[in-house]
Amino acid sequence: MTTKLAVLCNALLLAGALTTSASAATPIFVNAATGSDSNNGETAGTAVQSLAKGLELVDTSGTIQVAAGTYSQALVLAKPVVLLGANAGISPNTATRGAESILTVDGPMITIGAGAEGSVVDGFKLTGATNDAVDGMIFGTVSDGVVKNNIIDGNSGHGIRVLGAQRWTIEDNLIQNVTGSSRSGMFLLSFQESVVKNNTLKNLNYAGMICDAHQNTVIEGNTIQNATQPGIQVANSAGPVTITNNNISQTNSANGADKAAISIYPNTLIIDVTNNTLSNNNGAFSVRNQAGAVASTVHVNNNNFLGNTTPQVKNRAQGGGLLDASNNWWGVATGPTAADLAESNVDFDPWLSTQAAIAEWLNY
């Protein structure tokens, strides 16, 4: 009997655990138009109305399904949550989207804070913040965040700001019309082991991406257009940092003398800038006029330089050092112009004599 009782008890405990697990996986539904905060939120028909109520009800690591509509509420995540808007999984850059789940409130609109490691924000539109919020519209201070398929449009603060975090994925977002002073599409500080890819950033009152103190990060496949400052700037970074396959145009419109489409500080130690198309910018690549010498582990190779003001590549590091800018395509078979060649401490030679050589160089 004792053995049978023990087996029965174990079975009941297992069944209870499975029931609890199944319950934890139940999403919470939020609908601004049809929901009520007196509901339990466990089905679309019993949706709650407010994001705050959805966050209260959802289990740790659970999912909140947010219907299309307008929500004038800021969220502070203190536990891991998967926030899914009406266009979760649908790119704002390459696909057709339906009605949006719109957040319109002063920034930050979504804060991924202490205890919320591993949270996901997917498929929202964030718009209408008039406060010049340094923390941005999505603000993260913990690791393992995922921000993808969002539209961040018409706000005065940074689009996305992340501080002191590891293993983030920021993918396929559209960030545009950032109006605040010194506010950028993204501000990523003390950022490690992370990927920023396939985002579009345009019409920016400051820079596309400000990247500070990075290690083991990849910035890949992004499109950056129309910014008064550099499309991408990297400073104070031990690296490695890889900037590849980005398309950057009409940046540094304020024409900073030591700035360009991509700019680094001399204290950026290991960085590879490869296979980017940099066109119609005030300068293509620069090492800024700051203390220190450019490192031998800085490489600018196999890029398209098309129609940028000259000198297209600048090394203004106060301590000198030779910048490797070899094997790039300069738009003509004869390579860099006399104005480019006049720039000191830049190794231009050899250059690519055909644009097709870029693919050949990659496949070598």
Side-chain angles (χ1 to χ4, degrees), residues 237-296:
S237 297
V241 176
T242 299
I243 300 176
T244 187
N245 200 34
N246 301 283
N247 192 322
I248 304 177
S249 61
Q250 299 173 304
T251 65
N252 188 28
S253 62
N255 204 16
D258 66 341
K259 300 176 183 178
I262 300 175
S263 295
I264 69 169
Y265 277 51
N267 58 6
T268 296
L269 300 182
I270 304 174
I271 185 168
D272 289 295
V273 179
T274 63
N275 201 35
N276 301 283
T277 296
L278 311 177
S279 60
N280 301 309
N281 303 281
N282 281 319
F285 180 88
S286 72
V287 183
R288 295 198 56 187
N289 182 13
Q290 300 287 328
V294 64
S296 62

Side-chain angles (χ1 to χ4, degrees), residues 87-101:
N87 285 295
I90 302 175
S91 168
N93 300 309
T94 61
T96 301
R97 290 163 69 101
E100 299 283 353
S101 304

Side-chain angles (χ1 to χ4, degrees), residues 62-249:
T63 297
I64 301 177
Q65 298 269 6
V66 182
T70 300
Y71 301 83
S72 299
Q73 305 151 39
L75 280 176
V76 178
L77 307 186
K79 59 186 174 185
V81 171
V82 178
L83 281 172
L84 300 181
N87 285 295
I90 302 175
S91 168
N93 300 309
T94 61
T96 301
R97 290 163 69 101
E100 299 283 353
S101 304
I102 300 171
L103 275 65
T104 178
V105 64
D106 278 346
M109 295 184 181
I110 300 175
T111 299
I112 304 173
E117 293 85 353
S119 290
V120 176
V121 180
D122 186 348
F124 289 86
K125 181 175 181 179
L126 286 65
T127 188
T130 58
N131 63 324
D132 195 357
V134 68
D135 287 337
M137 299 306 103
I138 297 178
F139 178 44
T141 60
V142 294
S143 294
D144 300 300
V146 176
V147 177
K148 60 184 181 180
N149 301 313
N150 301 288
I151 298 173
I152 302 175
D153 180 16
N155 302 296
S156 58
H158 296 299
I160 298 172
R161 189 168 188 244
V162 183
L163 305 180
Q166 301 178 344
R167 299 178 299 278
W168 270 62
T169 298
I170 302 176
E171 180 178 2
D172 214 354
N173 301 283
L174 170 61
I175 302 175
Q176 61 184 0
N177 304 319
V178 177
T179 61
S181 60
S182 301
R183 302 293 181 250
S184 302
M186 298 184 193
F187 188 105
L188 309 173
L189 173 61
S190 297
F191 200 60
Q192 301 179 14
E193 300 175 24
S194 298
V195 175
V196 182
K197 65 179 182 180
N198 299 337
N199 302 281
T200 295
L201 298 85
K202 61 184 181 180
N203 304 333
L204 310 162
N205 199 39
Y206 199 67
M209 300 181 193
I210 296 292
C211 306
D212 201 302
H214 281 219
Q215 290 183 273
N216 296 306
T217 60
V218 175
I219 301 170
E220 178 179 6
N222 302 283
T223 297
I224 304 174
Q225 301 172 330
N226 191 21
T228 64
Q229 299 295 323
I232 300 172
Q233 179 172 282
V234 183
N236 307 304
S237 297
V241 176
T242 299
I243 300 176
T244 187
N245 200 34
N246 301 283
N247 192 322
I248 304 177
S249 61

